[in-house]
């Protein structure tokens, strides 16, 4: 039960659709509070739209307050939605429940709802580009109001609103919405992914339709235009949808889909963080970090604003969704968030200056590309100057283009080069097996998956069951890799260090080596895709 909606927004005004549609303009500011919002007719329209959704979806009933019932309050949240060009396209007003005052076991039981991994979205983009169909996007208006809830709660001395459906802010709202949408899709003939519970597939007359859910954003596409259109109409009949057409802007990712493939980048987001941290006029640099950089705690250095430093790191970490070329440098700087110094902030600014030099870079997925699966695994040697731990680097490719990667400092000190390289191989193996299971839902079947490492000793340990002095210190869990090798899931292949693509995630590289690996990974503007594919052809020939 929800009560005490702001008195100045009356129930009678909710039904006044004429007032809501009187203006086609939007406000450029975000209100501080309700009083500020009510001073602008565009924000008043947005509030009317929200309350109209409540009435249309029959979200609540006005009832007497039950005895001994702890009520839950509400508040208005105002947010401008921007388009790809940064212009405000919609004023969004949400009346949300104050879920922070809910008590587990009283107001809610379960809250978990599956959310798609961004790497799963990259896999979908690569698959769609390879098959030559374009992905579409739709947004569910007031998605959480479509989810039915079982718990009861209330607020108001005499009369309260008893919720029939979930409301934004309630802890159980995402779970309720996902349950409703999943039930609808399964009844419509879709099959849920065996690994990814946000993936739904429909096969009909030899055609395939793929749907991926990210809360209230839905990405879909298929081999048949008729099947895609039918699904859009079906969803619009069941839920109130905003059909946004071809997928172009999703979770701050910009997607360009064409006949030759798909290009994913974050140019707008990059410009936004330049403005946020006053780096618009910064001098460009050709690499994210100098190879002469000697990073340590710098305890004698001058301390800097921790909040600002963490904000810069957080912004850069989200940029690594399409910019793996800065992954290692950002993760290296992130290790010093607890006590940042001037030297650490200068290193972060160097990353921004590199982004100034390469603002338009992104990931290119070519149409007609093969969908073979392979991985690379590498590690530096005792690279951390503080605790002498090594850094693991892995990357996984679908066809010739990157879909997953990682750069992570190892949890323990490696006592040998064998163990140092064995650790990232274990992580890469796990990721490859997850991708193999996920891609099986797309109808792709794989035998042995190639995992390329530049350590013959690590390969020997995985293949040879004999224990000796070089392996006795390795934990039992590392032999999981050997088990999957013997089962035929993974095939370990040696690659010379010069062609080890995971190098870019483990160490600082000179400009020539850095740009060479960056190009091989498809981390370049779509305008030079021909050069990338040529490089990849040369590399694959070397590996065979």
């Amino acid at each position: 039960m929800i009560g005490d909606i702001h008195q100045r927004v009356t129930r009678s005004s909710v039904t006044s659709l004429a007032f809501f549609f009187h203006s086609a303009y939007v406000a450029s500011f975000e209100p501080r509070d309700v009083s500020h919002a009510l001073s602008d007719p565009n924000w008043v329209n947005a509030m009317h739209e929200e309350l109209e959704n409540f009435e249309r979806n029959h979200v609540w009933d006005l009832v007497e307050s039950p005895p001994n019932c702890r009520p839950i309050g509400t508040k208005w949240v105002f947010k401008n939605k921007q388009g790809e060009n940064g212009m405000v396209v919609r004023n969004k007003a949400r009346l949300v429940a104050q879920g922070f005052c809910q008590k587990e076991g009283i107001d809610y039981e379960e809250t978990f709802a599956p959310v798609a991994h961004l790497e799963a979205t990259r896999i979908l983009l690569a698959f769609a580009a390879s098959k030559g169909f374009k992905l579409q996007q739709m947004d569910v208006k007031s998605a959480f109001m479509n989810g039915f809830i079982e718990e009861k709660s209330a607020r108001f001395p005499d009369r309260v609103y008893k919720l029939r459906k979930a409301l934004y802010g309630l802890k159980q709202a995402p779970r309720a919405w996902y349950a409703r949408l999943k039930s609808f899709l399964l009844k419509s003939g879709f099959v849920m992914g065996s690994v990814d519970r946000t993936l739904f597939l429909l096969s009909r007359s030899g055609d395939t339709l793929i749907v991926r859910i990210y809360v209230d954003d839905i990405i879909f596409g298929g081999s048949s235009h008729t099947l895609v259109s039918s699904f859009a109409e079906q969803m619009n009949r069941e839920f109130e949808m905003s059909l946004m057409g071809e997928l172009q802007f999703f979770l701050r990712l910009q997607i360009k889909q064409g006949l030759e493939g798909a290009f994913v980048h974050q140019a707008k987001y990059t410009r936004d963080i330049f403005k946020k941290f006053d780096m618009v006029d910064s001098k460009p640099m050709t690499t994210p970090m100098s190879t002469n950089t000697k990073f340590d705690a710098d305890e004698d250095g001058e301390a800097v604003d921790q909040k600002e430093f963490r904000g810069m790191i957080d912004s850069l970490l989200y940029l690594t969704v399409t910019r793996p070329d800065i992954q290692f440098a950002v993760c290296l700087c992130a290790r010093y968030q607890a006590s940042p110094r001037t030297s650490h902030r200068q290193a972060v600014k160097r990353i921004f200056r590199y982004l100034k030099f390469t603002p338009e870079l992104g990931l290119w997925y070519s149409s007609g590309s093969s969908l073979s699966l392979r991985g690379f695994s590498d590690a530096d040697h005792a690279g951390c100057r503080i605790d002498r731990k090594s850094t693991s680097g892995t990357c996984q490719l679908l066809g010739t283009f990157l879909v997953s990667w990682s750069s992570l400092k190892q949890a323990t000190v490696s006592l040998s080069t064998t163990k140092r390289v064995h650790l990232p191989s274990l992580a890469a193996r796990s990721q490859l097996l997850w991708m193999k299971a996920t891609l099986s839902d797309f109808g792709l079947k794989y035998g042995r998956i190639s995992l390329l490492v530049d350590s013959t000793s690590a390969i020997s340990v995985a293949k040879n069951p004999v224990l000796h002095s070089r392996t006795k210190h390795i934990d039992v869990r590392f032999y999981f890799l050997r088990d999957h090798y013997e089962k035929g899931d993974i095939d370990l292949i040696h690659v010379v260090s010069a062609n080890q693509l995971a190098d870019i995630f483990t160490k600082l590289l000179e400009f020539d080596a850095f740009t060479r690996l960056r190009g091989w990974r498809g981390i370049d503007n779509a305008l030079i895709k021909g050069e990338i594919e040529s490089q990849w052809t040369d590399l694959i020939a070397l590996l065979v």
Side-chain angles (χ1 to χ4, degrees):
M1 303 173 186
I2 302 293
D4 198 17
I5 301 178
H6 200 281
Q7 295 179 0
R8 296 179 65 183
V9 184
T10 65
R11 287 171 58 87
S12 60
S13 64
V14 173
T15 58
S16 179
L17 293 177
F19 181 78
F20 166 65
F21 286 112
H22 89 283
S23 174
Y25 299 96
V26 293
S28 60
F29 70 95
E30 291 184 356
R32 300 183 302 271
D33 50 35
V34 174
S35 298
H36 192 198
L38 290 171
S39 66
D40 186 277
N42 296 299
W43 278 111
V44 173
N45 288 344
M47 297 167 75
H48 281 306
E49 180 185 13
E50 176 76 347
L51 295 178
E52 165 62 20
N53 286 334
F54 284 18
E55 291 291 319
R56 185 167 53 253
N57 291 310
H58 198 179
V59 172
W60 54 30
D61 293 316
L62 189 62
V63 299
E64 296 290 337
S65 178
N68 303 319
C69 186
R70 189 180 61 83
I72 297 173
T74 59
K75 65 173 295 184
W76 282 99
V77 176
F78 306 99
K79 187 71 175 178
N80 281 330
K81 293 195 70 173
Q82 297 180 345
E84 184 178 356
N85 58 3
M87 299 294 292
V88 177
V89 297
R90 183 185 175 193
N91 300 137
K92 200 167 187 177
R94 289 285 190 206
L95 183 67
V96 304
Q98 295 176 330
F100 58 83
C101 64
Q102 289 183 277
K103 299 295 183 182
E104 185 175 2
I106 300 175
D107 300 307
Y108 66 93
E109 298 294 339
E110 296 287 344
T111 62
F112 173 78
V115 177
H117 294 285
L118 286 172
E119 58 192 5
T121 301
R122 290 193 294 264
I123 290 174
L124 176 59
L125 285 166
F127 179 83
S130 175
K131 296 300 182 182
F133 59 78
K134 290 187 177 181
L135 296 174
Q136 308 292 316
Q137 182 180 12
M138 64 173 65
D139 176 75
V140 186
K141 295 182 179 179
S142 304
F144 288 177
M145 296 178 195
N146 290 285
F148 297 102
I149 62 172
E150 299 177 358
E151 299 84 357
K152 298 179 180 180
S153 53
R155 184 179 182 90
F156 205 65
D158 299 315
R159 305 193 76 186
V160 294
Y161 284 107
K162 176 183 177 182
L163 286 178
R164 297 170 56 90
K165 298 180 180 179
L167 194 65
Y168 284 86
L170 291 177
K171 293 184 181 295
Q172 65 268 45
R175 182 181 180 86
W177 158 241
Y178 172 78
R180 171 82 189 281
L181 180 57
K182 181 183 74 171
S183 176
F184 172 74
L185 292 176
L186 293 178
K187 289 180 180 178
S188 300
F190 282 84
V191 176
M192 186 165 56
S194 58
V195 176
D196 187 351
R197 315 306 278 183
T198 65
L199 178 68
F200 294 85
L201 301 100
L202 177 67
S203 296
R204 185 172 295 168
S205 301
D207 290 315
T208 301
L209 176 66
I210 302 174
V211 176
R212 182 171 297 284
I213 302 168
Y214 195 96
V215 192
D216 57 350
D217 288 312
I218 299 175
I219 301 174
F220 63 102
S223 56
S224 167
H225 176 72
T226 302
L227 197 59
V228 171
S229 300
S230 175
F231 170 73
E233 295 173 0
Q234 187 180 16
M235 287 290 290
N236 202 35
R237 287 194 300 268
E238 181 70 15
F239 311 101
E240 190 173 357
M241 310 295 300
S242 294
L243 298 178
M244 305 169 70
E246 183 179 320
L247 178 64
Q248 295 181 336
F249 196 64
F250 176 72
L251 299 177
R252 296 185 178 181
L253 307 183
Q254 294 168 255
I255 298 102
K256 306 291 185 183
Q257 300 183 82
L259 296 177
E260 297 183 345
F263 181 56
V264 190
H265 63 108
Q266 291 171 281
K268 177 186 179 299
Y269 178 75
T270 303
R271 293 192 297 269
D272 290 343
I273 62 176
F274 282 157
K275 295 177 182 178
K276 181 178 180 180
F277 298 106
D278 195 24
M279 297 290 292
V280 175
D281 299 322
S282 57
K283 181 181 177 181
M285 299 295 289
T286 57
T287 58
M289 193 170 287
S290 170
T291 54
N292 297 323
T293 301
K294 304 298 182 183
F295 244 37
D296 55 31
D298 192 16
E299 295 179 353
D300 296 329
E302 181 181 354
V304 298
D305 184 1
Q306 186 184 66
K307 183 178 180 181
E308 179 194 36
F309 185 82
R310 288 185 173 182
M312 297 172 80
I313 293 295
D314 287 345
S315 298
L316 290 172
L317 282 173
Y318 191 72
L319 189 57
T320 61
V321 172
T322 60
R323 295 295 301 267
D325 50 328
I326 65 171
Q327 180 86 39
F328 174 73
V330 175
C331 290
L332 185 60
C333 294
R335 299 174 187 176
Y336 303 95
Q337 293 183 81
S339 183
R341 306 294 176 175
T342 301
S343 60
H344 305 145
R345 184 172 63 180
Q346 289 301 115
V348 173
K349 287 187 175 181
R350 166 70 181 252
I351 301 175
F352 275 90
R353 293 169 66 185
Y354 167 70
L355 294 174
K356 188 72 175 179
F357 180 70
T358 58
E360 301 291 337
L361 295 195
L363 297 171
W364 170 252
Y365 299 116
S366 176
S367 61
S369 171
S370 70
L371 293 174
S372 59
L373 184 59
R374 61 167 55 88
F376 289 79
S377 172
D378 193 23
D380 71 342
H381 181 63
C384 182
R385 300 182 66 190
I386 298 176
D387 53 20
R388 309 313 297 177
K389 294 178 181 178
S390 301
T391 298
S392 299
T394 67
C395 60
Q396 291 76 36
L397 301 101
L398 192 58
T400 56
F401 298 102
L402 194 64
V403 293
S404 178
W405 56 88
S406 69
S407 177
L408 185 67
K409 187 168 78 168
Q410 296 179 4
T412 59
V413 177
S414 298
L415 300 179
S416 70
T417 56
T418 301
K419 180 178 179 180
R420 166 179 62 86
V421 180
H422 210 73
L423 278 166
S425 298
L426 181 70
R429 185 273 313 161
S430 300
Q431 186 68 6
L432 285 170
L433 292 179
W434 174 82
M435 292 177 63
K436 179 180 180 180
T438 298
L439 289 165
S440 67
D441 292 327
F442 289 84
L444 301 177
K445 304 299 180 183
Y446 299 94
R448 279 183 177 267
I449 302 173
S450 299
L451 176 58
L452 295 96
V453 298
D454 57 5
S455 170
T456 55
S457 59
I459 295 175
S460 297
V461 168
K463 293 183 177 181
N464 187 357
V466 178
L467 294 175
H468 47 71
S469 59
R470 298 184 63 185
T471 62
K472 64 183 181 182
H473 62 280
I474 299 181
D475 193 276
V476 174
R477 63 191 173 98
F478 301 145
Y479 294 97
F480 197 40
L481 177 61
R482 176 185 297 168
D483 180 54
H484 280 282
Y485 171 78
E486 293 175 348
K487 289 180 179 178
D489 295 328
I490 299 293
D491 192 13
L492 295 172
I493 300 175
H494 180 258
V495 60
V496 296
S497 297
N499 293 329
Q500 175 53 270
L501 302 192
D503 258 1
I504 202 171
F505 297 121
T506 64
K507 58 180 71 70
L508 300 175
L509 301 172
E510 296 289 352
F511 175 74
D512 290 341
F514 180 80
T515 52
R516 179 174 61 90
L517 291 179
R518 188 184 67 193
W520 272 349
R521 311 163 87 81
I523 314 171
D524 273 307
N525 194 298
L527 295 177
I528 57 173
K529 57 184 177 298
E531 177 183 348
I532 298 170
E533 292 174 348
S534 175
Q535 290 175 332
W536 261 110
T537 302
D538 296 340
L539 176 63
I540 298 303
L542 288 172
L543 298 178
V544 172

